[in-house]
Amino acid sequence: MFGAYGHTGRFVVAELAERGFVPVLSGRDADQLKTMAYGTGWEARPASVDDPAALDRALAGAAAVINCAGPFATTAAPVIEAALRAGIPYLDVAAEIEANLDTFTHFADRARDAGAVVVPAMAFFGGFGDLLATAAMGDWTTADEVHVAYGLDSWHPTAGTRSAGAVSRRRRGDRRVVFTGGRLRHRSDAPPSLEWRFPDPMGARAVIGEFTMADVVTVPSHLTVPEVRTYMTVEAARDIAAPETPQPTAVDDRGRSDQTFLVDVVVRSGGAERRATARGQDIYAVTAPLVVEALDRVLTGRTHAAGVVSAGEIFDAPGFLRALSPHITVKLP
Ligand SMILES: NC(=O)c1ccc[n+]([C@@H]2O[C@H](COP(=O)([O-])OP(=O)(O)OC[C@H]3O[C@@H](n4cnc5c(N)ncnc54)[C@H](OP(=O)(O)O)[C@@H]3O)[C@@H](O)[C@H]2O)c1
């Protein structure tokens, strides 16, 4: 587990332990790892991403590596290289569009040739929307449009979210990005404000359209869809834009915040429409059951593909989503 002591990393470590895995704690800060490992019997193996030998020691004997250390623009490539050297699967929780694209671009051939499994964005943003879109598609192999609407009641970002966002903004020259006409394009105008009709009881809500998230990388990586659009409730968009919005605070014994989400995915083909929705609590906490379910499926061979693959391509999407109960409540077509 690389990035073990971050906010998301801690949820993932707890989930691994709960499901009977033995986590090996890794990351760049030896003291933090030692404190976290104290009294658990788990190993702490510090490693910096610019030290391949230390990464090799961190991964030695591990069944797989999960990377929760972001910005992934810095951490993904060196940890994937180490996973390829170790011959073990790699999963990460990257929300950065550019970093996820880099993973597909730079590692697709090598991972496929090696029969290795590399799953980027196996998290709330990216993998989850892809699973829902894939489940909504059902027997359709192509669609005209995929819409992923995020109904978040708030968004208290972690330091990692803020720094990842800053890196992505720099990489795209302060422009925004959209997926239209079958490819990513940059835009400099303001994104549209509109209304999205979520399923009841949420109902119609003001959203920012083209609030582009990592689903624009994961969904088109395996589904033939020229238009992929993501939307965010204005409350959450306002939270994340404001520098003073505090980090999430725990309200229950699992460490979850009181944030709730409803993800509403609509796919359209010809005149027909299909929909998949999911609800739950705390987008950071819920990333843990998502990535650990993925790990379990990879390690037990419940996969459809190898190489660099997104969640919707490698897993049986409806089965995966149903397995997330009680963390997530899903409604599939
Ligand atoms: N796709 C999604 O839905 C989703 C969900 C959750 C999280 N994420 C992403 O996951 C990342 C972590 O988020 P978080 O909430 O856990 O933030 P966080 O609490 O701030 O943790 C960030 C972690 O990354 C580590 N890190 C940063 N740069 C590093 C580097 N160069 N080398 C090694 N470790 C490094 C930090 O270690 P130090 O303390 O030593 O800096 C810390 O452990 C962010 O990029 C976030 O966007 C995505």
Side-chain angles (χ1 to χ4, degrees), residues 2-10 27-29 32 47-49 67-72 74-75 93-96 100 121-127 158-165 214 247 283-284 287:
F2 192 74
Y5 55 82
H7 183 79
T8 307
R10 287 174 189 275
R28 63 178 167 184
D29 188 327
Q32 292 245 41
S48 148
V49 291
N67 182 6
C68 286
F72 291 86
T74 309
T75 69
V93 302
E96 295 149 61
N100 285 317
M122 192 51 252
F124 181 79
F125 292 116
T158 60
T161 294
R162 288 204 187 274
S163 53
Q247 302 209 17
I283 63 173
Y284 295 98
T287 288

Side-chain angles (χ1 to χ4, degrees), residues 50-263:
D50 47 25
D51 184 349
L55 285 173
D56 288 346
R57 284 194 296 276
L59 269 50
V65 57
I66 298 176
N67 182 6
C68 286
F72 291 86
T74 309
T75 69
V79 183
I80 295 171
E81 291 285 2
L84 292 175
R85 286 195 299 277
I88 59 175
Y90 167 95
L91 303 95
D92 74 33
V93 302
E96 295 149 61
I97 289 168
E98 291 75 12
N100 285 317
L101 274 178
D102 283 350
T103 297
F104 278 98
T105 306
H106 298 147
F107 292 100
D109 293 346
R110 280 171 61 202
R112 192 188 48 242
D113 293 349
V117 169
V118 173
V119 190
M122 192 51 252
F124 181 79
F125 292 116
F128 189 35
D130 184 31
L131 286 165
L132 287 163
T134 308
M137 294 267 289
D139 58 355
W140 291 353
T141 51
T142 64
D144 301 327
E145 298 164 11
V146 168
H147 302 267
V148 183
Y150 288 104
L152 273 53
D153 63 344
S154 66
W155 186 353
H156 290 192
T158 60
T161 294
R162 288 204 187 274
S163 53
V167 167
S168 270
R169 267 194 304 282
R170 250 195 326 274
R171 291 189 70 181
R172 61 180 79 137
D174 271 331
R175 293 168 300 172
R176 59 192 186 86
V177 64
V178 294
F179 187 89
T180 184
R183 67 179 180 87
L184 285 169
R185 296 164 201 267
H186 287 107
R187 295 264 194 272
S188 299
D189 56 342
S193 295
L194 45 119
E195 198 172 78
W196 182 268
R197 181 161 289 283
F198 289 93
D200 288 335
M202 189 177 266
R205 299 292 284 267
V207 296
I208 306 295
E210 300 177 1
F211 192 98
T212 304
M213 303 307 289
D215 315 280
V216 299
V217 180
T218 52
V219 171
S221 75
H222 68 107
L223 298 174
T224 306
V225 188
E227 304 293 321
V228 180
R229 288 191 207 128
T230 59
Y231 308 78
M232 181 65 69
T233 33
V234 289
E235 303 89 314
R238 233 181 264 136
D239 277 350
I240 187 98
E244 66 277 10
T245 305
Q247 302 209 17
T249 46
V251 297
D252 66 17
D253 55 3
R254 302 181 77 91
R256 296 184 301 181
S257 72
D258 60 3
Q259 179 202 44
T260 60
F261 62 80
L262 169 57
V263 185

Side-chain angles (χ1 to χ4, degrees), residues 274-288:
R274 291 178 177 177
R275 190 169 212 151
T277 59
R279 327 167 178 264
Q281 180 182 340
D282 191 333
I283 63 173
Y284 295 98
V286 87
T287 288

